[in-house]
Amino acid sequence: MSSKSPCRAIKITFGVCVVIVACIWAAGRFGPIRPVTTNSGFREIMGTFVQVAAVAGDSGTTKRCIDAAFEQLELVDNLMSDYKDDSEISQVNRDGYKQAVKVSRMVFEVLHRSIEFSKKTAGAFDVTIGPLVDLWRSVDEKNAMPSEEELAEARAKVGFEKLILDEQEQTIRFAVDGMRLDLGGIAKGYAIDLAIEAMQRAGAVGGMVDVGGDIRCFGAGPKGKEEWTIGLQDPGIATEAIIGGPLTLILELTDDAVATSGNYRRFVLIDGKKYSHIINPATSAGTEGLSSVTVIAKNAMDADVLATAVTVMGAEKGLALIEPMPETEAILITAGPEPEQIQTSGADKYIRK
Ligand code: AMP
Ligand code: MG
């Protein structure tokens, strides 16, 4: 997964730059018994900060719901992190060219969906981006731009059409030697959706799961409120002030997910210039143009993937992708000295006035 960048402090700092202030004080009525809200506080999973809130009839149930959510988050991390040598993704990365590697239903599903998203985004979203991500990470250490040869060599190992899935056997294979999967743009969303479902099964009437600023919530809001309030931080502010910094936008969500990607969150620095950790497969370089992309969707996987994809596609193509999608909205902030906020036509209804 994306998260354990060489500079851990920077990663953590930027990984939660879009901060959540999921607390609402509203006038919800729940009948004679007021549900209990329990918040897990922040824990570190998937290389970022995670928090879960559960609303249920009693505190025993809320605690069980929180445990159930974390169990799913840990499970996905253990299967899909490319930083864990024994994860299934690491195994595919090691052996995928030599032989077809049998994977779990979950990993197969995520890769299957990844390919669908690649097709839907004209290749902007591509989980085979690993060799280019590695190359840009290594140049961060050297503080020098990659050479044309290095870029061409890495690019030859990238491409979702080189990823071979066998539905029958549930195996994954690489068509080219040296390919590497990186699920940093999708695994958080997938994990959040599983965690929400687990909380619902465990008896929550409401809940929220936040993995490094990618969030999904459902049902009753916290402490009797009717919705969940999510604060988005200004991408331009000093990022040391992660939690509690000034907010550009406050979103009011009910049964929705939100994810933010951006060049301001994690990047490599070469000669003082920032290069995004999100790579455009068409240019082999870090994306430019948008400092932050927030996508609101009905599930966290869609929000996660689409935020990453729109960052690659840029404002015009990105908005054209999201606009026709039902129940999906995007809020973009352009990069540069005079940042501009651009959004899809239905985004306003989620933004607190
Ligand atoms: P996110 O923070 O969700 O926008 O995901 C960014 C992460 O996704 C990066 O840190 C990489 O691990 C990975 N990534 C980078 N570029 C791409 C891309 N074009 N398609 C899919 N994943 C990418
Ligand atoms: Mg994403």
Side-chain angles (χ1 to χ4, degrees), residues 39-52:
N39 191 306
S40 65
F42 284 101
R43 301 185 197 171
E44 214 189 317
I45 308 180
M46 302 177 122
T48 190
F49 288 122
V50 175
Q51 84 174 308
V52 174

Side-chain angles (χ1 to χ4, degrees), residues 296 323 327-331 343-351:
I296 301 160
E323 190 62 58
E327 301 185 291
T328 310
E329 305 296 338
I331 304 164
Q343 58 196 52
T344 50
S345 56
D348 244 2
K349 63 178 176 288
Y350 297 102
I351 301 173

Side-chain angles (χ1 to χ4, degrees), residues 184-186 188 214 259-261 303-308:
I186 189 169
K188 291 192 292 291
D214 288 0
T260 301
S261 290
D304 189 9
V305 167
L306 293 173
T308 311

Side-chain angles (χ1 to χ4, degrees), residues 1-3 123-127 129 133 137 182-186 188 214 260-262 265-266 277-281 304-305 307-308 311-312:
M1 241 156 293
S2 61
S3 327
F125 183 83
D126 193 331
V127 292
I129 201 77
V133 170
R137 273 189 196 141
D182 178 339
L183 301 193
I186 189 169
K188 291 192 292 291
D214 288 0
T260 301
S261 290
R265 295 182 72 192
R266 288 195 303 275
H277 68 296
I278 300 174
I279 310 290
N280 183 348
D304 189 9
V305 167
T308 311
T311 304
V312 174

Side-chain angles (χ1 to χ4, degrees), residues 179-193:
M179 286 175 69
R180 203 178 71 70
L181 298 171
D182 178 339
L183 301 193
I186 189 169
K188 291 192 292 291
Y190 181 75
I192 292 169
D193 288 335

Side-chain angles (χ1 to χ4, degrees), residues 1-314:
M1 241 156 293
S2 61
S3 327
K4 303 257 157 146
S5 86
C7 180
R8 196 174 145 82
I10 289 176
K11 171 211 61 182
I12 302 251
T13 307
F14 288 87
V16 268
C17 201
V18 174
V19 157
I20 322 84
V21 189
C23 302
I24 301 112
W25 327 93
R29 247 172 268 128
F30 294 94
I33 302 166
R34 205 178 154 84
V36 178
T37 304
T38 304
N39 191 306
S40 65
F42 284 101
R43 301 185 197 171
E44 214 189 317
I45 308 180
M46 302 177 122
T48 190
F49 288 122
V50 175
Q51 84 174 308
V52 174
V55 184
D58 59 87
S59 59
T61 308
T62 55
K63 287 193 181 103
R64 274 196 299 282
C65 292
I66 288 173
D67 288 347
F70 275 104
E71 199 180 306
Q72 294 301 309
L73 299 174
E74 299 275 9
L75 175 67
V76 173
D77 195 20
N78 289 336
L79 285 173
M80 301 185 197
S81 169
D82 54 334
Y83 284 91
K84 295 183 184 219
D85 282 346
D86 54 353
S87 74
E88 287 190 6
I89 289 300
S90 291
Q91 206 191 324
V92 174
N93 284 344
R94 260 193 316 270
D95 302 333
Y97 180 65
K98 286 177 268 171
Q99 65 199 53
V101 179
K102 179 114 179 139
V103 293
S104 61
R105 185 191 53 77
M106 284 186 182
V107 167
F108 195 87
E109 187 188 340
V110 167
L111 292 175
H112 185 79
R113 293 299 311 278
S114 295
I115 292 174
E116 285 177 354
F117 280 118
S118 293
K119 291 178 181 162
K120 212 190 275 189
T121 62
F125 183 83
D126 193 331
V127 292
T128 68
I129 201 77
L132 282 168
V133 170
D134 285 349
L135 178 61
W136 282 97
R137 273 189 196 141
S138 74
V139 302
D140 186 27
E141 284 149 27
K142 289 188 259 170
N143 190 33
M145 293 288 283
S147 68
E148 287 301 321
E149 293 73 41
E150 285 173 317
L151 283 167
E153 198 184 307
R155 183 64 187 83
K157 298 170 189 161
V158 171
F160 66 92
E161 68 289 344
K162 301 174 190 131
L163 187 60
I164 303 158
L165 271 60
D166 185 328
E167 300 265 354
Q168 289 287 310
E169 302 292 324
Q170 211 173 279
T171 59
I172 312 295
R173 200 160 59 76
F174 292 152
V176 173
D177 198 5
M179 286 175 69
R180 203 178 71 70
L181 298 171
D182 178 339
L183 301 193
I186 189 169
K188 291 192 292 291
Y190 181 75
I192 292 169
D193 288 335
L194 289 184
I196 290 281
E197 284 159 24
M199 282 211 282
Q200 289 168 335
R201 281 195 303 273
V205 295
M208 188 248 351
V209 177
D210 163 16
V211 178
D214 288 0
I215 298 164
R216 179 170 163 185
C217 50
F218 75 96
K223 299 181 182 160
K225 316 302 158 28
E226 282 174 347
E227 69 273 290
W228 297 84
T229 301
I230 313 295
L232 298 183
Q233 243 180 0
D234 181 344
I237 62 152
T239 41
E240 286 73 40
I242 309 172
I243 296 163
L247 302 174
T248 34
L249 280 181
I250 297 180
L251 302 180
E252 289 177 344
L253 306 181
T254 47
D255 291 309
D256 305 290
V258 60
T260 301
S261 290
N263 294 349
Y264 70 97
R265 295 182 72 192
R266 288 195 303 275
F267 50 81
V268 297
L269 206 56
I270 304 168
D271 285 336
K273 185 173 180 319
K274 286 181 187 175
Y275 292 85
S276 173
H277 68 296
I278 300 174
I279 310 290
N280 183 348
T283 62
S284 303
T287 54
E288 290 178 75
L290 294 172
S291 71
S292 121
V293 173
T294 296
V295 171
I296 301 160
K298 278 291 151 195
N299 66 73
M301 178 152 73
D302 284 0
D304 189 9
V305 167
L306 293 173
T308 311
V310 170
T311 304
V312 174
M313 296 170 92

